[in-house]
Amino acid sequence: MSQSATPAFPKHLLDFRDWNRTQVESLLETAQMMQEVLSRPVKKVPALTGFTVATVFFEPSTRTRLSFELAARRISADVVSFASATSSTTKGETYKDTLRTLDQMGIDAYILRVDAAGVCHQAYAWLQKPIINAGDGWRAHPTQALLDAFTLREKLGSLEGKKVAIVGDILHSRVARSNAELLPMLGASVVACGPATLLPGSLPGASLTTDLRAALAEADAVMVLRLQKERMDKGLLPSLPEYVAGYQITEERLQWAAPRAPLLHPGPMNRDVELEGTLADSPRSLVERQVANGQAVRMAVLYHLLVGKKG
Amino acid sequence: MKGEILIKNAKLVDGRGEHGQADVLIGEGRILSLSGGEASTVLDATGKVLSPGFFDPHAHLREPGQEVKEDLQSGLAAAVRGGYTDVVSMPNTTPVVDSAEIVRALKEKAARLGRARLHPAAALTQGQEGKVLSEARLLREAGAVMLTDDGRTNEDAGVLAQGLQYAASWGLLVSVHAEDAGLRRGGVMNEGAVSFRLGLPGNTGYAEAARIARDLEILRYVMEGPGARGLQPGRSLLHIQHLSTRRGLELLRQAKQAGLPVSTEVGPHHLTLTDEHLESLNPIYKVAPPLRTQADVEALMEGLLDGSIDCIGTDHAPHTQDEKELDMLRAPFGIPNIEVCWPLLYTELVGKRGFPLPTLIERFTDGPRRLLGFSPVHLIEGGEASLVLWSPGEERPVEPHTFASKAKYSPWAGWVLRGWPSVTLVEGCIVYLQQENR
């Protein structure tokens, strides 16, 4: 983990606006090294000894929070966590007050999950400390995109010239937005597919289609997104069976994609809704690999923002 | 001659045009002479322009009930600093301004403050609930100049039709926030490429156009349909607030050409900012209707020029700093702007785009006065001395901490503007005098 080779990194991971390909690739290389750490009997290195990291989750999450906390501990950071699932209208005030209070306790970096786009940017403006966006509303979930890219590279070798199809509720998906930002930076093309009511009018980095067959055609990988049932209450979907009939990823439909195209899902999955349950457990599925890689990627992100920035 | 004011060497520009330089003698609330005279107070206006005082048909002064955001004292002080001599206050306060008593109390308090003149708008429906019409005649007698449920949209077309009929019979303009709530879908910014990219709920411009189209049909029904009651208003009957879209403007233009008594206003933010500013994810730009695209801005500029847009309304909407520091979903809609509206539009429209100065002044003065049935203020001997003296040459950045408004933030903070008002007079009395050594 030579610091001299580390390019000047942004002091935050709010999204990929301030990141370039070299920085991302360097980060993914570090993740590779972190993966090696995770394969050891003693899965711990002293890289962040003396640093304190806070996970501040204003929106419920178990998997992402655990992944970040373990990642931080495996590189020897102290971790505190704050979780609040309140829905008070003054939650924004809570964000600022909570963060400022925590900041008096000597926190070195914040991992923040919120339900509204932009709060991570506000937090960075308030604190001027490394902020890692662990999901802000519909906007961005950059570590998910990084772990997806890492997993795809592991499977496909390189992303150069590869086609990735993202299927599901694109409109409300921070995973789709972050992947559409990151994957093209690494050479892939992205096509996003879903029913018209769940597609935005445009998505930078991706082409959009309502035609599942066209989206899957020759796709080198298929990323399936979770469908939230509350979209039905908002009139965006007539019913789940209607969605399943048009967009569920099945064994049969997966044949439209390139042979052996892997299947990704950011989880948690609704089995037999967005994809056939048996597919999730098939050799095509990288879902478990994504979870494992998530830890290595998050270790790399923390390392780069806290230690790598000195390089 | 006690109490008289002489403004020396002022360049005179009103809504009718530019009238050269003059020494303006003011007394008894009127312009006594345009060729000088003796006075106890003499103001040197060399390099400055004298114009009729500005008239804001749309401001939120938050009193009663939300004085933590703004009150009459701070709001009207902010107004005169912006060159306004007259302000129409919106009724979406706590309680709602829907009774003659509240209108009277507001008028009396504002008169005591001695800043800009206050003309309260009252609710179109009781409690702004969109069901029962408020007491238009009593409200008019108390001093209300307009009826509106601003802050809410009039969902029930029948109530709006009755409101138009009833208000018109008492000479009151009905002003509406035109936006289809269903089509808006809880959007917090303009629906478009930027909202898609940022992952923020979008509010389509078609929500405005769809509601304008509906409201124009209601107006047509009231004027021409079987529901017509022989109304023959000499002026606008339906006023569309804070127009923001090209499509909305097209609909209004057609309606005006067809002779419907409709009018509209545009706010300074919709002429100078776009949804691209939301890229910063800063809720300071969160406003309703939302900031639109450059194409909309260009269309609004044209509409302002050709008169399809009648006037500038600030939609001054102050909030507390804490509220505006909430996130994009929870921060309230609104921008405080009454102090910067004139220098902003003078700088951006006249200075940078060559917009004709008298036309811009017309939209700040005669335009709004005409809608509400007020006489124009012109720079003629015998004319009312409700005036503003402003400095086209003085450049100064927007510094929100100096605002008289309680809302000390601004999307234009740091913008360097010209045209800052230095003196505001209401009926011959100086209500604002800029400190020269600021």
Side-chain angles (χ1 to χ4, degrees), chain A residues 92-93 95-96 116-123 125-126, chain B residues 188-189 198 200 273 277-288 290-291 317-336 409-411:
Chain A
E93 286 172 315
Y95 297 151
K96 191 174 181 184
V119 177
C120 295
H121 288 72
Q122 289 176 306
W126 294 327
Chain B
V188 300
M189 66 172 292
L198 296 179
L200 281 167
L273 304 170
H277 286 90
L278 269 303
E279 288 279 9
S280 65
L281 290 160
N282 188 341
I284 207 166
Y285 297 103
K286 186 177 169 187
V287 65
L291 302 176
H319 294 288
T320 66
Q321 187 81 30
D322 282 352
E323 288 173 303
K324 269 302 199 187
E325 280 184 351
L326 294 172
D327 57 84
M328 281 299 297
L329 298 183
R330 293 176 189 83
F333 296 95
I335 290 176
Y409 57 87
S410 170

Side-chain angles (χ1 to χ4, degrees), chain B residues 24-105:
Chain B
V24 182
L25 184 69
I26 289 161
E28 298 159 11
R30 313 208 77 81
I31 295 173
L32 298 177
S33 162
L34 293 175
S35 50
E38 284 190 27
S40 53
T41 303
V42 178
L43 301 172
D44 179 12
T46 306
K48 295 184 179 176
V49 176
L50 187 68
S51 297
F54 306 139
F55 192 114
D56 187 0
H58 189 154
H60 296 270
L61 300 185
R62 307 299 190 200
E63 188 170 338
Q66 296 174 307
E67 288 85 351
V68 65
K69 296 172 190 257
E70 194 80 290
D71 58 23
L72 291 186
Q73 184 160 0
S74 61
L76 294 174
V80 295
R81 284 171 56 114
Y84 286 90
T85 52
D86 297 83
V87 177
V88 177
S89 58
M90 290 296 114
N92 59 334
T93 47
T94 319
V96 166
V97 181
D98 63 358
S99 73
E101 289 73 21
I102 304 178
V103 171
R104 218 167 266 126

Side-chain angles (χ1 to χ4, degrees), chain B residues 13-17 19 52 358-359 361-362 365-366 377-378:
Chain B
V13 188
D14 62 20
R16 301 166 305 148
H19 309 291
T359 306
I361 289 179
E362 201 279 341
T365 57
D366 295 352
V377 171
H378 286 151

Side-chain angles (χ1 to χ4, degrees), chain B residues 157-405:
Chain B
V159 170
L160 180 59
Q162 287 156 6
L164 282 165
Q165 288 165 346
Y166 193 69
S169 55
W170 301 109
L172 284 165
L173 181 67
V174 172
S175 154
V176 295
H177 180 125
E179 190 168 54
D180 185 276
L183 206 48
R184 173 184 173 167
R185 281 198 176 277
V188 300
M189 66 172 292
N190 182 51
E191 184 184 80
V194 183
S195 73
F196 296 140
R197 186 157 65 240
L198 296 179
L200 281 167
N203 170 1
T204 171
Y206 290 91
E208 177 176 274
R211 180 51 63 90
I212 289 175
R214 185 204 76 161
D215 289 356
L216 289 172
E217 283 307 296
I218 294 170
L219 181 63
R220 195 180 290 280
Y221 162 70
V222 167
M223 296 304 299
E224 303 169 0
R229 300 290 184 270
L231 294 175
Q232 294 206 322
R235 53 187 168 91
S236 173
L237 192 53
L238 174 70
H239 182 70
I240 307 293
Q241 300 177 337
H242 42 52
L243 188 71
S244 69
T245 60
R246 180 187 56 78
R247 183 63 193 136
L249 175 66
E250 283 170 4
L251 292 167
L252 283 171
R253 202 176 259 145
Q254 287 162 12
K256 284 183 153 200
Q257 280 164 2
L260 281 179
V262 64
S263 57
T264 190
E265 71 194 24
V266 63
H269 37 283
H270 290 120
L271 291 168
T272 56
L273 304 170
T274 68
D275 60 355
E276 299 277 337
H277 286 90
L278 269 303
E279 288 279 9
S280 65
L281 290 160
N282 188 341
I284 207 166
Y285 297 103
K286 186 177 169 187
V287 65
L291 302 176
R292 305 292 187 183
T293 65
Q294 193 59 40
D296 292 302
V297 169
E298 298 300 327
L300 294 174
M301 208 81 79
E302 260 179 51
L304 193 64
L305 184 64
D306 71 16
S308 307
I309 296 173
D310 301 82
C311 58
I312 308 282
T314 63
D315 197 7
H316 174 72
H319 294 288
T320 66
Q321 187 81 30
D322 282 352
E323 288 173 303
K324 269 302 199 187
E325 280 184 351
L326 294 172
D327 57 84
M328 281 299 297
L329 298 183
R330 293 176 189 83
F333 296 95
I335 290 176
N337 54 26
I338 203 163
E339 273 161 275
V340 300
C341 189
W342 172 257
L344 177 72
L345 297 189
Y346 174 71
T347 305
E348 297 297 313
L349 272 57
V350 179
K352 295 188 182 165
R353 304 177 62 119
F355 197 93
L357 175 60
T359 306
L360 188 63
I361 289 179
E362 201 279 341
R363 307 294 185 253
F364 269 80
T365 57
D366 295 352
R369 284 187 170 91
R370 186 174 56 243
L371 298 185
L372 293 163
F374 286 79
S375 304
V377 171
H378 286 151
L379 302 174
I380 50 173
E381 290 183 355
E384 182 187 315
S386 293
L387 308 167
V388 56
L389 190 64
W390 53 278
S391 310
E394 185 197 335
E395 277 193 342
R396 181 152 49 92
V398 176
E399 294 173 321
H401 71 274
T402 67
F403 284 176
S405 168

Side-chain angles (χ1 to χ4, degrees), chain A residues 80-103:
Chain A
V80 292
S81 46
F82 177 91
S84 159
T86 59
S87 60
S88 135
T89 50
T90 58
K91 207 151 109 181
E93 286 172 315
T94 309
Y95 297 151
K96 191 174 181 184
D97 289 347
T98 305
L99 290 168
R100 285 208 166 151
T101 304
L102 283 170
D103 209 42

Side-chain angles (χ1 to χ4, degrees), chain B residues 98-100 103 122-123 134-144 147 172:
Chain B
D98 63 358
S99 73
V103 171
S134 46
E135 299 163 320
R137 189 179 68 85
L138 295 174
L139 289 163
R140 172 85 199 189
E141 279 175 7
L147 297 178
L172 284 165

